[in-house]
Amino acid sequence: MSENVTYRPRILRRGGDHGAASVGAVELFFDLVYVFTIIQLSHYLLHDVSWQGALETAVLFLAVWWGWNYTAWAMNWLDPEHAGVRALLVVLMLVALGMAIAIPDAFGERAALFAVAYVVFQLLRSAFMVAAFRGQMMSRNYAQLLGWSAIAGVVWIAGVFVPDDARLAVWGLAVLIDYAAPMVGFWLPGAGATRMADWPLAEEHLAERNRLVFIIALGESILILGSVLSGIELTPSVVSAAVVGFATIVLLWWLYFSGRLGNTEHEAPDQSEATAIARGAYAYAHALMVGGAIVVAVGIEQITHHPLDDADWSMAGTVLGGPALYLVGNIIFNAARTGVAPKSRLVALAALAVLVPFTPVIPALVLGLTVLVVLAALAVATSGAWASAGEDRAITRR
């Protein structure tokens, strides 16, 4: 006797497995558009390595990151096998593609495309979550998040209509609103704030999603390095610079996946602490770590193109600033997880700071090699017998 059973997956992950479930195939598919987005961001900075260019790139990156971050969080609760969820992510991919193609002229003629795409991206996903959780506390939570996204969205759209030279300030304000929202519990008049305890989640799904997007960011460094080497003469100095650049990428990967202080599999925190840890370690810390990897890609391109030229201040901003951003993010990541800032990362930051005054008088290749030595020493200190007992205690404290 045969029995026909129609399987209709619920829109939410089953039971209490929302955060512990594996990453769905549709989530990996969604990340493909971010490969292109990261390429666009690194090229934007590469074409204008100035304070203005750096600030504009930062605003664009923070918007792109916030869209990806909120989507990664939403997928903690949504069933990736549900047709509606898959349709949502496909639509979000299309909207994110609009953001990506607008990036090269986002502060000019394509400002409207970038702002509208970003606002639609944020509002559509949050509205979907309100409906998916209807009748539950999380529906209220997402309704308040939707309210904050709408407030920020008004500022994003307003930035389209101001003069080009004022757009950076307006969009900077929009970014501050977006990033401040979780810190105040999405407080709204008459509704109050949502408590961290009202966002139940297990951490491992977010950890895995962030590992994957960091790999994408490192991949951009490989793409830039390969593109540069394909178009210039392979002189000894260029090859040396390429080896230094490749080794820098490897060391960033090594540090990120360090068993002591990196984002590797670890004991899950108590449920009561998971959301607070995830907010600091993934929403905020990983913005800096992924952003740092993008800036590293730009620094590698500069050194490979001009290995024997004296390093100028713009080159210092990428060659030193990229690893520094990563280290600051890693400090925040570990502080969120353990309550302790790793001393080895602080020492490495200090070492990079010491190099700043010498930047104008040393060749680009030497600067890159010196940064490589700092990262290599950090990798040895973190993973070898030289790791401090204090850091060991920090990792196991929870």
Side-chain angles (χ1 to χ4, degrees):
M1 177 179 176
S2 63
E3 183 178 354
N4 294 326
V5 177
T6 300
Y7 175 64
R8 298 181 182 275
R10 298 183 302 175
I11 199 165
L12 300 176
R13 292 188 190 261
R14 294 192 178 339
D17 68 353
H18 46 78
S22 61
V23 173
V26 71
E27 296 177 80
L28 302 178
F29 186 44
F30 171 79
D31 283 351
L32 287 179
V33 74
Y34 275 84
V35 176
F36 177 54
T37 304
I38 288 174
I39 290 173
Q40 293 284 74
L41 287 166
S42 60
H43 286 182
Y44 190 98
L45 178 59
L46 188 58
H47 291 153
D48 185 8
V49 188
S50 64
W51 281 111
Q52 178 80 10
L55 289 173
E56 290 178 355
T57 304
V59 166
L60 297 176
F61 167 74
L62 290 171
V64 166
W65 172 258
W66 216 231
W68 182 91
N69 168 67
Y70 271 170
T71 305
W73 276 71
M75 290 306 299
N76 264 264
W77 297 290
L78 295 177
D79 184 349
E81 302 302 319
H82 191 280
V85 174
R86 290 185 167 192
L88 170 69
L89 288 189
V90 169
V91 172
L92 291 179
M93 283 179 68
L94 181 61
V95 177
L97 183 60
M99 292 170 57
I101 63 177
I103 284 173
D105 200 19
F107 283 89
E109 294 183 357
R110 290 190 171 179
L113 177 58
F114 183 86
V116 171
Y118 174 74
V119 172
V120 169
F121 190 95
Q122 297 291 62
L123 296 183
L124 176 61
R125 184 199 50 254
S126 294
F128 186 94
M129 296 301 288
V130 171
F133 278 113
R134 61 188 177 276
Q136 302 180 40
M137 175 66 75
M138 285 290 290
S139 181
R140 170 198 179 253
N141 292 350
Y142 263 102
Q144 293 188 221
L145 190 159
L146 177 62
W148 273 84
S149 293
I151 294 168
V154 170
V155 183
W156 279 105
I157 300 300
V160 175
F161 299 100
V162 301
D164 289 356
D165 57 1
R167 186 164 297 129
L168 178 60
V170 176
W171 280 1
L173 174 61
V175 165
L176 288 176
I177 294 171
D178 272 327
Y179 276 69
M183 296 182 180
V184 297
F186 303 103
W187 180 90
L188 290 173
T194 66
R195 300 180 305 153
M196 297 293 286
D198 291 336
W199 295 80
L201 113 141
E203 183 203 16
E204 182 52 34
H205 178 268
L206 270 181
E208 180 63 19
R209 295 293 288 119
N210 280 268
R211 291 176 200 130
L212 294 170
V213 81
F214 188 79
I215 287 292
I216 289 174
L218 289 183
E220 165 59 2
S221 298
I222 297 291
L223 290 174
I224 282 187
L225 181 59
S227 176
V228 170
L229 294 177
S230 298
I232 62 176
E233 182 182 357
L234 299 180
T235 63
S237 60
V238 166
V239 172
S240 298
V243 170
V244 168
F246 181 77
T248 300
I249 298 167
V250 171
L251 282 172
L252 274 185
W253 169 84
W254 187 283
L255 291 168
Y256 181 81
F257 288 98
S258 162
R260 294 179 183 274
L261 299 172
N263 183 15
T264 56
E265 292 187 10
H266 50 266
E267 182 180 351
D270 294 338
Q271 184 64 52
S272 60
E273 297 180 316
T275 306
I277 289 173
R279 186 179 70 180
Y282 303 112
Y284 296 115
H286 269 73
L288 293 172
M289 287 196 279
V290 172
I294 293 173
V295 176
V296 164
V298 175
I300 289 172
E301 195 277 348
Q302 290 179 296
I303 290 177
T304 307
H305 257 309
H306 310 285
L308 300 181
D309 293 353
D310 287 343
D312 56 20
W313 292 116
S314 66
M315 187 177 293
T318 58
V319 176
L320 298 176
L325 274 177
Y326 171 82
L327 290 173
V328 171
N330 188 251
I331 290 168
I332 296 172
F333 173 80
N334 281 283
R337 284 181 52 211
T338 68
V340 177
K343 289 181 289 186
S344 61
R345 269 57 180 166
L346 296 171
V347 171
L349 269 178
L352 293 176
V354 167
L355 294 174
V356 172
F358 301 98
T359 297
V361 296
I362 57 178
L365 179 56
V366 174
L367 179 64
L369 183 60
T370 307
V371 171
L372 180 65
V373 170
V374 171
L375 295 179
L378 180 61
V380 171
T382 298
S383 60
W386 295 272
S388 72
E391 286 185 351
D392 288 344
R393 285 194 298 272
I395 291 300
T396 60
R397 196 186 74 176
R398 290 192 186 277

